[in-house]
Amino acid sequence: MLLPAIAKISLVGLAAAQPYPYQFPDCVNGVVASNKVCDRSLTPPERAAAIVEAMNITEKLANLVRSAQGASRIGLPRYNWWNEALHGVAYAPGVNFPENPPFNAATSFPMPVLLAAAFDDDLIEKVGNVIGTEARAWGNFGYSGIDFWTPNVNTFKDPRWGRGSETPGEDALRVSRYAGAMVRGLEGDKAERRIVATCKHYAGNDFEDWNGVSRHDFDARLTLQDMAEYYLLPFQQCARDSQVGSIMCAYNAVNGVPSCANDYLMETILRGHWNWTESNNYITSDCEAVLDVSENHHYVETNAEGTAICFIRGMDNSCEYESSSDIPGAWEQGLLPENVVDRALRRTFEGLVWAGYFDGEASEYAGLGWEDVNTPEAQELALQTAVDGIVLLKNDGTLPLELEADSSLAMIGFWADDSSKIIGGYSGRPPFTRSPVFAAEQLGYTVNFATGPILESDCSNDTWTADALSAARDSDHILYFGGIDTSAAGETLDRYSIEWPRAQRALIKALSDLGKPLVVVQLGDQLDNSPLLRTEGVNSILWTSWPGQDGGTAVMQLITGAKSPAARLPVTQYPAAYVDQIPITEMSLRPTDEKPGRTYRWYSSAVQPFGFGLHYTEFDINFESFPTSFSIQDLVAGCDNTYPDTCAFEPLSIQVVNAGTRQSDYVALAFVAGEYGPQPYPIKTLATYGRLRDLEAGGSASIELTWTLGDIARRNEQGDTVLYPGTYKVLLDEPTVTTLEFELTGEAAVLDHWPAPE
């Protein structure tokens, strides 16, 4: 009963009294920078400058790294900047999970790619709010810092990327809106940040280690057009529009210059063009990325030179495992000026000022504690997000299963009864994990369980088929839980095949031959489902990615019909042959005579396309009235925003009728197509989306989709955002169920001039 009382006392006193890894600065005794940094009447820049001015050069250099040593002489404690919270507070060098409550578990949501599949920005903000609240509670009690390296907003353009599930999918608009909603949730809506969020990895980062090429030595060659419209668009949302507290520069180079030494990316674009300076935000390196500048990119000769050039060109903190940057060498050799050191420290300390690090109990978020972690509302949200994100990819009417109280289920596969598989990467310790078998047994059904293979196991050493067939023969329905497992050998890195593992295909075929209802529930990233889609004996397919702590419950709610699926694929499902047609290192999006295009915008032969998803009901959908013509010059003249691409365009209103027999959500996806703007034209481009909730069978409702001028504009070869005249076609849903057309008249207008590199 001690901890509830502890949560109410002074943060400083708490940190001093308990054996926790971190302490807050001692502002009570007035020893931090002569108390100027603790003076809330000063501006954040003044407070940050005060602490830098109070430090000697030895102390300054010791605080340029992620494991900052602090300065005991002035009452500044050490601080570890490496804290993680991708889909819940996660293990990291700066995050401690004690063995005992209350801070031994954090709510674990589905992986971001499944969160994105819900296509609901309000839902994402709620998730961010829970994660941010729990993360700050962790920090308040000294179990972590108060900055967290999340969200990952790189685009998931190639299915082989081993960490693609950390991102919100392949579409730049979807990733951007996810980023905006998540940052709002994480950092909070007050003047003080709840935590400092970090958008990563800037820029062009989307593979790990493939065919002899590593992210540590890769040079991403990006055209200005691809850069502006795709690879950097989510970072524009983070920096320009959301003013996120921090951004992480990536391992790879971009157009010959390592990201963490790339002044075009960090100064010209980030701090210049996007005006990411309102709160003196800071840039941290990815871990050991500074060493890559000399060691792997060979951009300079020595690590000391590489270290200096990264700080000079705009990086503010070096993430080191041990001593992968050479800050002492850069200083001793006269390569690193003190004014650059001071600038970096002012930016990082100001980030902590904005998060109330020096405010003690006066911090707006000082009251967050153990009672704000793992709340019933958070647990319910974790379940809801899994249900909302799981995508129905095939169904011949088998789902939802019509089950009786005494129905028996064969639950077969490597993750059917292994709840450790449902969490995903960059995770912490959840309060519980519920497997599908557990959830089915809680509902009272008889479960006949048998395990199954994971990867390319040798079928001649088959130890599973006999048990699986026996379980299936003894059951009314067969549920097969397969896919790929990120914790299995090789799956933590990039893949070379996107086929279903051979041993799993063989088992699915054997089960389908029994002639009983067979539902495949797929874990992990997308695979080529062609064999399963063709097989009549495979009646239904659900894709679950990694559904989080209550993933088993979510799966059973959908299978039994307690809930109805409405999610859509946030990525393209490619045919297996795609991996032989284009290397993962190819960054160009547009197709050529030699290579296919990338993502749904440029690739037309998907097995199942971006935006695809089935329902248990039928919908009749139509556009409501919409103007047929707009003047470009009138649209621009009526826009007073600093950035014209953010000005609102006429909303789309859609009438939705649930013509079926089950209550369901409906996700409205509106794409734009048409031969206007630069060649070659995309097939279509997502322009806006929204989710209508809980539409009763037989009911109808309207949903209004908002969008901006930038959402219908295109980027030219120079990267400029241009509103072009022409006939625009709006395509609703995937596949398209209805269309409308409107015309933009007048002269093309540039909404944003993309700066060219020198």
Side-chain angles (χ1 to χ4, degrees), residues 48-49 51-52 55-57 59-65 68 81 282 311 315-317 338-351:
I51 198 164
V52 176
M55 300 170 75
N56 60 43
I57 190 60
E59 293 164 338
K60 289 177 180 179
L61 297 179
N63 285 278
L64 291 174
V65 294
W81 293 87
Y282 61 89
F311 281 103
M315 188 194 76
D316 303 307
N317 188 277
E338 188 167 6
N339 67 319
V340 172
V341 172
D342 290 352
R343 181 186 67 183
L345 291 173
R346 284 196 302 270
R347 287 171 174 167
T348 53
F349 283 128
E350 189 175 336

Side-chain angles (χ1 to χ4, degrees), residues 156 158-166 206-216 455 484-498 525 546 584:
F156 189 7
D158 192 293
R160 289 165 285 187
W161 186 18
R163 290 176 59 184
S165 61
E166 296 178 25
D206 56 13
F207 79 96
E208 307 302 304
D209 191 348
W210 182 86
N211 204 29
V213 182
S214 164
R215 60 186 179 171
H216 294 281
L455 295 177
I484 59 171
D485 174 25
T486 191
S487 65
E491 292 299 328
T492 54
L493 299 178
D494 304 318
R495 293 184 284 158
Y496 291 89
S497 171
I498 55 173
D525 289 326
W546 286 272
I584 198 172

Side-chain angles (χ1 to χ4, degrees), residues 247-520:
I247 283 178
M248 176 185 287
C249 53
Y251 292 116
N252 58 276
V254 173
N255 296 336
V257 184
S259 294
C260 291
N262 198 314
D263 52 354
Y264 175 69
L265 290 179
M266 293 190 290
E267 294 296 335
T268 303
I269 298 296
L270 189 58
R271 292 192 169 107
H273 187 58
W274 289 339
N275 194 31
W276 190 61
T277 57
E278 290 184 9
S279 301
N280 249 359
N281 309 289
Y282 61 89
I283 299 172
T284 182
S285 78
D286 207 338
C287 296
E288 295 191 313
V290 173
L291 178 62
D292 288 338
V293 173
S294 58
E295 186 76 12
N296 293 307
H297 294 297
H298 307 294
Y299 186 70
V300 293
E301 291 187 2
T302 69
N303 193 11
E305 291 177 285
T307 300
I309 203 169
C310 287
F311 281 103
I312 290 169
R313 292 185 175 179
M315 188 194 76
D316 303 307
N317 188 277
S318 174
C319 176
E320 304 178 317
Y321 288 123
E322 296 297 336
S323 56
S324 58
S325 64
D326 188 4
I327 291 171
W331 173 258
E332 291 164 5
Q333 295 172 41
L335 303 174
L336 183 60
E338 188 167 6
N339 67 319
V340 172
V341 172
D342 290 352
R343 181 186 67 183
L345 291 173
R346 284 196 302 270
R347 287 171 174 167
T348 53
F349 283 128
E350 189 175 336
L352 293 181
V353 170
W354 278 104
Y357 182 66
F358 298 95
D359 292 341
E361 289 187 327
S363 166
E364 293 187 80
Y365 294 107
L368 295 178
W370 64 271
E371 66 273 19
D372 299 295
V373 177
N374 293 324
T375 65
E377 294 79 12
Q379 308 315 316
E380 182 60 32
L381 186 63
L383 173 58
Q384 180 192 343
T385 53
V387 170
D388 288 355
I390 292 174
V391 186
L392 181 62
L393 297 178
K394 180 181 181 180
N395 194 29
D396 63 1
T398 295
L399 288 180
L401 296 181
E402 299 293 337
L403 299 176
E404 304 294 335
D406 59 351
S407 291
S408 57
L409 302 174
M411 303 186 75
I412 298 164
F414 71 87
W415 66 281
D417 196 30
D418 186 350
S419 61
S420 70
K421 305 297 187 188
I422 63 177
I423 298 301
Y426 273 82
S427 301
R429 180 190 296 139
F432 54 80
T433 53
R434 291 170 178 161
S435 71
V437 166
F438 172 86
E441 290 176 339
Q442 291 296 110
L443 293 172
Y445 300 118
T446 299
V447 173
N448 298 309
F449 165 71
T451 192
I454 300 178
L455 295 177
E456 293 295 336
S457 303
D458 184 1
C459 290
S460 65
N461 189 31
D462 185 343
T463 60
W464 51 79
T465 298
D467 289 344
L469 291 177
S470 176
R473 292 188 183 103
D474 291 341
S475 304
D476 300 317
H477 306 275
I478 307 170
L479 307 178
Y480 177 74
F481 295 85
I484 59 171
D485 174 25
T486 191
S487 65
E491 292 299 328
T492 54
L493 299 178
D494 304 318
R495 293 184 284 158
Y496 291 89
S497 171
I498 55 173
E499 291 186 293
W500 273 82
R502 181 167 53 93
Q504 292 196 43
R505 295 200 309 269
L507 181 54
I508 291 171
K509 179 63 169 63
L511 294 171
S512 70
D513 288 343
L514 297 179
K516 294 187 176 184
L518 171 59
V519 177
V520 173

